[in-house]
Amino acid sequence: MSSLAVLLPKLARFGRSCPFRVSWWGVSFPLAAASVATLRVATAQPGAAIDIFAVGLLTLATAVIGWLLARTLVGLARGELRTLAQ
């Protein structure tokens, strides 16, 4: 969860700070892992607060992964992702 705490504030500025590359998919891994962990905690210890947090985190991870997919397809169509060293 500590990597997620570091990652979330940086997501908003990420798009302006560096051009899109395939390595951006690395953002999705800590989000997905935190979502799975939170969903497991919510299953083991039910409660309204943890349920809301788990669903919110899952929604964020889904949105980020969906955006990454769309941005990757756009990058492929534009030819931006042909080479790794640009």
Side-chain angles (χ1 to χ4, degrees):
M1 284 297 230
S2 62
S3 63
L4 181 64
V6 171
L7 174 68
L8 286 179
K10 299 193 182 299
L11 276 178
R13 296 182 312 216
F14 197 60
R16 293 183 297 270
S17 65
C18 63
F20 183 80
R21 298 289 180 256
V22 174
S23 60
W24 278 33
W25 277 92
V27 170
S28 67
F29 302 130
L31 278 174
S35 296
V36 169
T38 308
L39 288 167
R40 287 187 177 193
V41 169
T43 301
Q45 299 176 357
I50 192 68
D51 288 349
I52 291 169
F53 185 65
V55 169
L57 205 49
L58 179 61
T59 302
L60 176 64
T62 302
V64 168
I65 291 169
W67 181 83
L68 285 168
L69 174 64
R71 187 59 184 91
T72 300
L73 293 174
V74 167
L76 287 171
R78 291 180 182 169
E80 297 171 345
L81 305 177
R82 281 197 188 144
T83 62
L84 294 178
Q86 288 184 349

